[in-house]
Amino acid sequence: GATILQNSPVADVTITPAQATVQLADGREVTASYVVDGGGFRSVLAQKHKLRDFDLETHSRGLFTHMINVPGFEQTRGDGAYDLPFHMAEGTLHHLFDGGWLWVIPFNNHHEATNPLCSVGLLLDPRQHPQRDDLTAAEEFAMFIADYPDITAQFAGATAVRDWVRAGRIQYSATQVVGERWALLGHAVGFIDPLFSKGLYSSLTAVFTIAHLLINAKQTGDYSAAAFADLETVSHNFVKSADRLVANSFRSFKNYRLWQVYSVLWLLGAYTELLKLNMMRAQAGSDRQAYYDKLVTLKLVGGGFDGFDAVAKEIDGIMEKV
């Protein structure tokens, strides 16, 4: 029963005690009981209320595009150095180095694929690797990877098929997530870095949380900020935990032995978190409220296991001194 308004830029959002009104750029108005803003960094509500916050640990800027003719990494090595039961090109490949990392995501990573494109992105700490304004994005990418012969070989025959995008520091958050009859969702709240794909995880959790709260609000008529406070807590916890995880990962990239330690912490945290989520799901069964109550109080790194939390805090503390 929903009406979809595609390609309808939003000019403003006005909130009154009785309703929310969305003003479209073409002059039309849409009224609603509640407004959810999923507009990413340029969120209308975040800009209107001056909510942007950049006080975050992680510093990274980006260069990215789509390419064709990017071979799998093993194909360019030819020395059998990686004794793995699968090809790296079946998933996302991460090249890690001091001050950044590079992703290689082939869209033709299975035998039924028809898409020949490969997503390529370079994330760099601008404090170590300042943007080269004297170079185009493509030239800067080529200059950077020239210091890494194995990476250079992988891109020797590659061709970009869309314009390169070059972005400054990409980290941001929001000082407030919910208000009277409105909320920010997903990347409208904040973004850290694509390193661990945490943005997808946090967006799905936020959707689950706000869906539950909207169902309750429809029944009670309470669309206040207090009624949606759980969404603010969950969203801020995700930004904070992702920021710490990525910032300390960047620190660990300085030395392979550091990354060996920190990658084990990340993997252990991810697996225990998955275990905790599955346990919660199984225990709650079809009781949506019971699952919700546990989800919004869950510690987001390590799944809330006390033993893991203590180890993670110690290792993070050591890494932050590096």
Side-chain angles (χ1 to χ4, degrees):
T3 300
I4 308 298
L5 302 178
Q6 298 275 27
N7 301 314
S8 302
V10 174
D12 196 9
V13 178
T14 303
I15 307 293
T16 68
Q19 66 181 23
T21 303
V22 178
Q23 288 91 33
L24 303 181
D26 62 9
R28 287 179 294 166
E29 291 188 346
V30 180
T31 60
S33 298
Y34 200 86
V35 172
V36 181
D37 185 338
F41 177 71
R42 294 179 179 83
S43 152
V44 171
L45 287 170
Q47 292 179 329
K48 181 183 178 82
H49 297 295
K50 297 180 172 55
L51 303 179
R52 281 289 164 250
D53 175 21
F54 302 95
D55 184 18
L56 296 158
E57 286 189 66
T58 307
H59 282 69
S60 62
R61 64 182 182 91
L63 297 158
F64 42 93
T65 190
H66 286 166
M67 290 183 158
I68 56 173
N69 301 323
V70 180
F73 189 55
E74 296 98 330
Q75 294 175 254
T76 63
R77 289 297 301 266
D79 58 4
Y82 301 99
D83 184 19
L84 298 172
F86 53 85
H87 296 294
M88 292 186 188
E90 290 178 19
T92 298
L93 175 69
H94 299 70
H95 291 292
L96 311 177
F97 34 77
D98 187 10
W101 65 283
L102 188 155
W103 81 67
V104 184
I105 310 174
F107 300 157
N108 61 345
N109 64 341
H110 59 96
H111 69 280
E112 296 180 352
T114 58
N115 188 340
L117 300 181
C118 182
S119 176
V120 176
L122 177 63
L123 279 296
L124 298 171
D125 186 329
R127 299 168 299 183
Q128 289 182 247
H129 306 288
Q131 181 172 310
R132 289 288 302 270
D133 292 327
D134 57 323
L135 302 174
T136 66
E139 290 169 342
E140 185 178 10
F141 177 82
M143 183 203 72
F144 187 87
I145 67 170
D147 287 337
Y148 300 90
D150 288 345
I151 301 177
T152 301
Q154 187 175 16
F155 289 97
T159 303
V161 294
R162 54 166 285 181
D163 291 340
W164 281 86
V165 176
R166 179 158 55 185
R169 188 186 177 197
I170 59 176
Q171 289 72 45
Y172 63 90
S173 185
T175 55
Q176 183 179 348
V177 178
V178 300
E180 303 300 313
R181 292 189 179 272
W182 64 265
L184 306 183
L185 191 70
H187 293 159
V189 175
F191 186 77
I192 301 301
D193 186 280
L195 180 60
F196 296 109
S197 297
K198 287 293 186 180
L200 180 61
Y201 188 179
S202 60
S203 294
L204 287 169
T205 303
V207 167
F208 178 89
T209 303
I210 198 168
H212 180 88
L213 295 173
L214 284 169
I215 290 169
N216 290 346
K218 177 69 174 176
Q219 295 168 347
T220 64
D222 184 358
Y223 293 96
S224 66
F228 287 79
D230 284 345
L231 179 65
E232 180 147 323
T233 300
V234 167
S235 299
H236 277 156
N237 282 349
F238 263 112
V239 171
K240 183 179 179 180
S241 62
D243 186 29
R244 183 176 65 249
L245 178 66
V246 175
N248 283 334
S249 294
F250 267 73
R251 291 182 179 106
S252 77
F253 294 165
K254 296 177 183 296
N255 182 284
Y256 182 65
R257 290 178 66 194
L258 277 178
W259 169 241
Q260 279 184 307
V261 172
Y262 205 69
S263 66
V264 170
L265 179 70
W266 158 58
L267 286 167
L268 181 60
Y271 282 123
T272 54
E273 191 172 47
L274 176 62
L275 176 62
K276 185 74 171 184
L277 287 166
N278 283 336
M279 287 169 55
M280 286 165 42
R281 191 75 168 178
Q283 290 167 355
S286 60
D287 188 339
R288 180 167 54 87
Q289 184 67 49
Y291 182 67
Y292 174 88
D293 290 341
K294 291 185 177 181
L295 182 68
V296 295
T297 58
L298 180 66
K299 295 177 182 178
L300 298 172
V301 177
F305 290 100
D306 292 338
F308 174 85
D309 291 343
V311 172
K313 184 176 181 179
E314 181 179 359
I315 293 178
D316 277 323
I318 293 169
M319 205 63 68
E320 286 157 8
K321 296 177 183 177
V322 172

